[in-house]
Amino acid sequence: KRIENEIANGERTGEKFSLFFFDVNRFKNINDSLGHKVGDLFLKELARRLTNIDIQVESFYRLNGDEFVYVLNDISLLNDMATRILNVFKQSFTFYDYEFYVSISLGISIYPEHGQTLSKLLKTADVAMYVAKAKRNNMFVIYEQNMRGTNDRWLLLETKLHKALRDDTFTLNYQPKVNTISGEVEGIEALIRWTDPELGFMPPDQFIPFAEKCGLISDIGKWVLKTASSQVKKWSDEHGVNYRVAINISPAHITEHDFVQQLEEVIEETKVNPSQLELEITEMSMMDYNEEII
């Protein structure tokens, strides 16, 4: 209703306004790792902090889940207000014995350049938000016309990742760790690779961050764990080599409440010697999960 009123006023007076659209990165992990009670408390505290930077205007709105909208009439304050919103997340959140940091991705659209209807403004702000999400945590991006096809590309990539899991078209490359003095192989690292018939070779630094954002990283991580463990077991049985395999684990995966159970099931199913598994937590966004990882 608020945005519809602003659009009507803009049509009448020619005044601009901006729409901020943001969500909490990896909010699902808070619920999964710490429980929905902590997730609810977090949302309440977040709302309190947002209210404190906008006491008089009252222009923050919660759409659903962890998605929020802010309406700003004075677009000359756009950069300042975006920074103030991001600064809300520089302080940690503490509930019970849990202390953690979160980040957001913030997309911004401006009326009428980026849309003259409610749905169009929300869509362009949403596209800008996902561009911010793809770049790094806790930043804002203003919509640009060349972002028009971004949503379609992301939808295509998500669909193809689902199919790659279903059709088992990921592969693992095994990179040896060689002692530079003796020349002996002392271990190996399992590196996921993916070549799509339409998209071609997709570097991990392109599809892994996206898999984290769309919630597929855990399924991919489970596949890597199982595949690498099976291969190491096979080499041990057939060739008598007991290499330790290093497997990259995303922070979004390792903080799932049942990660230990997943690992135990892989060990049970593949019969791999647990001492041959080395889990490497990927550096990306690691600090967001510090407490849970420990």
Side-chain angles (χ1 to χ4, degrees):
K1 186 65 178 177
R2 166 71 186 279
I3 296 174
E4 288 172 350
N5 289 339
E6 296 295 346
I7 291 173
N9 179 65
E11 291 174 344
R12 186 174 63 256
T13 65
E15 293 182 2
K16 298 181 179 183
F17 70 92
S18 58
L19 185 148
F20 292 33
F21 186 67
F22 63 94
D23 71 2
V24 178
N25 296 322
R26 296 174 294 276
F27 175 68
K28 180 178 181 293
N29 288 336
I30 297 176
N31 282 330
D32 289 348
S33 301
L34 306 180
H36 287 272
K37 188 173 183 179
V38 171
D40 290 344
L41 291 173
F42 162 75
L43 288 173
K44 291 179 181 179
E45 171 61 15
L46 170 56
R48 186 192 68 78
R49 293 186 187 185
L50 293 174
T51 301
N52 283 344
I53 63 174
D54 187 48
I55 296 174
Q56 295 180 332
V57 182
E58 297 182 349
S59 293
F60 280 102
Y61 303 88
R62 180 185 178 212
L63 283 186
N64 57 66
D66 64 323
E67 294 180 339
F68 293 82
V69 161
Y70 175 71
V71 182
L72 180 66
N73 291 97
D74 187 352
I75 62 172
S76 68
L77 300 176
L78 190 151
N79 287 343
D80 176 64
M81 196 62 200
T83 301
R84 291 171 67 184
I85 293 173
L86 294 178
N87 285 343
V88 164
F89 297 87
K90 287 188 175 181
Q91 298 178 348
S92 65
F93 292 81
T94 303
F95 306 103
Y96 305 116
D97 294 328
Y98 302 113
E99 179 182 12
F100 54 90
Y101 289 84
V102 299
S103 62
I104 66 168
S105 299
L106 170 60
I108 300 173
S109 61
I110 300 173
Y111 171 90
E113 290 94 323
H114 305 149
Q116 299 179 29
T117 64
L118 168 61
S119 60
K120 183 64 174 178
L121 284 169
L122 283 171
K123 181 177 181 180
T124 51
D126 182 52
V127 168
M129 180 188 73
Y130 274 94
V131 172
K133 203 178 282 286
K135 290 186 175 181
R136 62 181 174 87
N137 292 326
N138 236 44
M139 73 173 301
F140 71 91
V141 167
I142 301 172
Y143 179 78
E144 296 177 4
Q145 294 299 330
N146 60 8
M147 298 175 184
R148 188 182 301 270
T150 303
N151 260 357
D152 295 336
R153 290 196 298 273
W154 277 322
L155 181 60
L156 174 65
L157 183 55
E158 183 173 357
T159 301
K160 285 185 172 296
L161 282 173
H162 276 286
K163 288 183 178 178
L165 278 167
R166 183 194 66 194
D167 300 338
D168 197 23
T169 57
F170 291 114
T171 58
L172 286 185
N173 284 3
Y174 296 95
Q175 178 173 282
K177 294 182 176 182
V178 180
N179 186 312
T180 55
I181 297 176
S182 67
E184 294 181 354
V185 176
E186 295 186 343
I188 52 177
E189 182 171 10
L191 304 171
I192 190 169
R193 295 292 181 261
W194 178 38
T195 300
D196 179 81
E198 182 180 353
L199 301 176
F201 174 71
M202 294 292 294
D205 63 354
Q206 288 187 17
F207 73 85
I208 291 296
F210 181 79
E212 290 181 320
K213 294 176 179 67
C214 69
L216 287 174
I217 193 62
S218 296
D219 290 332
I220 293 175
K222 293 174 193 173
W223 179 88
V224 173
L225 274 171
K226 183 176 178 180
T227 304
S229 297
S230 297
Q231 184 62 71
V232 168
K233 172 63 174 172
K234 183 177 180 181
W235 282 331
S236 296
D237 291 346
E238 296 181 0
H239 305 288
V241 291
N242 296 307
Y243 294 138
R244 174 179 288 185
V245 60
I247 302 170
N248 292 317
I249 302 293
S250 164
H253 185 194
I254 203 171
T255 51
E256 289 194 346
H257 70 282
D258 64 341
F259 176 79
V260 173
Q261 180 182 342
Q262 295 175 27
L263 190 57
E264 289 174 339
E265 289 174 353
V266 166
I267 294 170
E268 175 81 22
E269 183 177 348
T270 63
K271 308 301 182 186
V272 67
N273 186 333
S275 66
Q276 290 181 261
L277 300 183
E278 178 180 311
L279 307 185
E280 294 188 359
I281 305 170
T282 55
E283 311 86 66
M284 186 179 300
S285 309
M286 183 171 171
M287 291 310 296
D288 290 347
Y289 295 96
N290 191 46
E291 194 63 33
E292 295 96 316
I293 285 177
I294 292 171

